[in-house]
Amino acid sequence: MGNSNTTAAATTTAAGAVLEGAYKKATWHLIPFIFVCYFFNYLDRVNVGFAKLEMMDALNLSNTVYGLGAGIFFIGYVLSGVPSNLILHKLGARRWIAAMMIMWGALSAAMLFVTTPTSFYVLRFFTGVAEAGFFPGMVLYFTHWFPSQKRGQVMALFMSAIPISGLIGGPLSGWMLAHFSAGQGGMAGWQWLFLLQGLPTVLLGVAVYFYLNDGIAQAKWLSTEEKGAMQRALDDDEKQRQATSTVGQSIGDVLKNGSVWMLGVIYFSIQMGVYAINFWLPSIIKSLGYDTQTVGWLSAIPYLFAAVFMVWAGRSADKHRERRWHVSAPMLMGLLGLMMAANFSTNPLVVMVGLSMATMGALAALSMFWSLPAAFLGSAAAAAGLALINSLGQIAGFVSPFLVGWIKDATQSTDAALYVLSAVMLLGALLVLRVPAKLVNR
């Protein structure tokens, strides 16, 4: 009996070692590459915030026009989110993500041809259509590789591309605007910015087609034993999700489920803060009296702290098997940061501390949020459910920059807008705690 128990324990230990080795392989093979893709995805989405520093004067655009143009991207994004994710579910990640990246990279680069508000609106709208399926597609893609208990850290590593895009993209964008301000090649600095940050996405789209695998079965870099171990873990996770899921398996069930809509509202409240930071951070810092290149460097500071905080939060959530407070607490931190920036808007040091807190809190909540729906949506409901939640949240991408721009034109300050955004984030933080802990804390 003793020998059999020892043998069974050794077998279990060996199986666990194989599985952990497979997860490490999958993490190192997938995450760095997908991280780079998301880096350019986010950079292409928000570089208009830096282009604004020159583009508005060059084209004689008001803050309201800029806010509408920055936000109209998300109208296209919201309208196309669910269909795009369903196409990905049918065609597979490799082909559809490659096609999306090539399309949105080309459209982002084409922003250099903008001359009127109308052309600004049209290009932003269709760029949103092209990008719509990428993020929810990646969330869905990870469910094909990692079980719920591994996904917190994976999502944090993946979504740390957001602060890194700010950390690197801020100084890079500031340098581009300054370096090309002389009008090299007959183009202004803001035009070069769109071109040089859009073209790499097209090349990455081509690389996606040859590099990504649609799932575990196609991964030649995993052994047969590793594939089996990962698939069994996914099957066990799926059974657990099905046992606790409150969402039916059809698209109609997803649309009728109150929990899905509540999660969409929570995600909206997080994104209200995130997009205010993304689109207006350079302008808020510039209002303190700094030149364009200095704005680029200073804007990197909040994103540096956010990148470290996001990874720590992901590891903490997985270690403690706790999800709700790892979303709610960062949201509270974010709203406190926004209120600091608004209350001490003439003090550069306090404004930078407040903006750093806001960026850390909002982006950590953003990455931690996706452990909530992914934990209880069954595989059949995931494609539609994740896309719907993402689309509801992305409405904030339209509302937030437009609201801030309209308030700034009306009051000549962003302070009142920051108070409104703080109130929205407070509502979201409270709603998070209504999510049943037993569904997500694993």
Side-chain angles (χ1 to χ4, degrees):
M1 179 67 75
N3 288 337
S4 63
N5 287 339
T6 301
T7 302
T11 301
T12 301
T13 302
V18 169
L19 183 59
E20 286 303 314
Y23 286 143
K24 287 181 181 178
K25 273 190 184 181
T27 300
W28 280 107
H29 186 87
L30 297 174
I31 301 304
F33 180 75
I34 294 174
F35 173 95
V36 173
C37 293
Y38 194 40
F39 171 89
F40 279 99
N41 172 259
Y42 219 79
L43 194 62
D44 287 347
R45 190 184 307 180
V46 302
N47 58 11
V48 70
F50 268 94
K52 167 186 179 290
L53 300 178
E54 289 187 358
M55 186 180 181
M56 283 183 61
D57 290 336
L59 302 180
N60 196 27
L61 304 178
S62 69
N63 282 299
T64 302
V65 169
Y66 164 73
L68 180 58
I72 207 168
F73 168 100
F74 296 94
I75 300 297
Y77 192 107
V78 168
L79 292 175
S80 304
V82 173
S84 185
N85 221 33
L86 293 175
I87 292 172
L88 182 145
H89 189 59
K90 293 288 186 182
L91 293 183
R94 184 172 58 92
R95 285 183 289 177
W96 188 236
I97 289 173
M100 283 191 293
M101 292 188 69
I102 292 169
M103 286 189 290
W104 94 59
L107 286 165
S108 182
M111 285 287 293
L112 69 90
F113 298 113
V114 166
T115 56
T116 65
T118 300
S119 57
F120 182 37
Y121 299 154
V122 169
L123 276 173
R124 286 289 294 175
F125 176 83
F126 283 106
T127 305
V129 171
E131 286 193 29
F134 179 78
F135 179 78
M138 284 291 96
V139 177
L140 178 65
Y141 185 65
F142 289 139
T143 67
H144 297 162
W145 294 87
F146 301 97
S148 299
Q149 64 267 27
K150 291 288 183 182
R151 234 172 275 144
Q153 186 173 345
V154 167
M155 284 300 299
L157 290 171
F158 164 58
M159 295 188 69
S160 63
I162 298 176
I164 296 300
S165 71
L167 178 63
I168 298 175
L172 179 64
S173 297
W175 175 82
M176 285 180 177
L177 290 176
H179 181 75
F180 292 103
S181 61
Q184 292 92 326
M187 296 195 303
W190 64 269
Q191 292 174 304
W192 278 107
L193 185 151
F194 283 125
L195 178 65
L196 296 178
Q197 294 184 3
L199 289 182
T201 302
V202 176
L203 300 177
L204 276 169
V206 175
V208 162
Y209 183 82
F210 296 100
Y211 186 82
L212 283 190
N213 304 112
D214 286 323
I216 294 170
Q218 293 78 35
K220 295 180 180 178
W221 39 271
L222 288 172
S223 69
T224 302
E225 189 178 15
E226 288 169 334
K227 290 179 183 180
M230 289 184 73
Q231 191 58 57
R232 284 191 294 274
L234 285 180
D235 292 342
D236 290 342
D237 184 59
E238 175 65 13
K239 289 176 184 176
Q240 191 172 1
R241 282 195 289 166
Q242 295 288 4
T244 58
S245 177
T246 60
V247 183
Q249 299 306 296
S250 70
I251 295 176
D253 290 333
V254 170
L255 293 175
K256 290 184 290 185
N257 189 274
S259 296
V260 172
W261 290 93
M262 184 179 75
L263 288 168
V265 172
I266 293 169
Y267 194 50
F268 171 88
S269 68
I270 297 172
Q271 291 284 31
M272 283 289 284
V274 169
Y275 283 117
I277 293 164
N278 287 337
F279 288 120
W280 290 95
L281 179 66
S283 298
I284 292 172
I285 296 175
K286 190 174 179 64
S287 70
L288 297 173
Y290 297 107
D291 61 63
T292 300
Q293 198 152 6
T294 304
V295 169
W297 285 106
L298 289 177
S299 69
I301 294 173
Y303 289 110
L304 173 62
F305 286 110
V308 176
F309 187 62
M310 282 174 72
V311 175
W312 174 85
R315 289 178 176 172
S316 174
D318 282 352
K319 178 181 177 181
H320 295 98
R321 299 289 180 91
E322 199 290 320
R323 308 296 173 183
R324 299 187 308 162
W325 282 105
H326 281 83
V327 179
S328 186
M331 291 179 73
L332 296 174
M333 176 182 175
L335 73 89
L336 287 174
L338 289 175
M339 293 182 70
M340 282 179 62
N343 277 310
F344 301 93
S345 58
T346 59
N347 186 318
L349 178 59
V350 178
V351 168
M352 288 304 300
V353 171
L355 291 175
S356 296
M357 285 180 59
T359 307
M360 291 166 67
L363 292 182
L366 187 69
S367 64
M368 291 298 95
F369 168 82
W370 286 104
S371 62
L372 304 182
F376 71 88
L377 284 170
S379 57
L386 294 176
L388 176 60
I389 292 166
N390 185 59
S391 294
L392 290 171
Q394 295 302 341
I395 294 173
F398 173 78
V399 175
S400 183
F402 179 71
L403 176 69
V404 176
W406 177 73
I407 292 176
K408 191 172 190 300
D409 275 342
T411 65
Q412 305 306 310
S413 171
T414 56
D415 294 355
L418 297 182
Y419 286 124
V420 173
L421 295 169
S422 297
V424 174
M425 291 187 74
L426 176 61
L427 171 64
L430 296 175
L431 284 176
V432 170
L433 300 179
R434 289 180 56 85
V435 177
K438 66 180 181 179
L439 293 181
V440 296
N441 286 348
R442 64 175 193 268

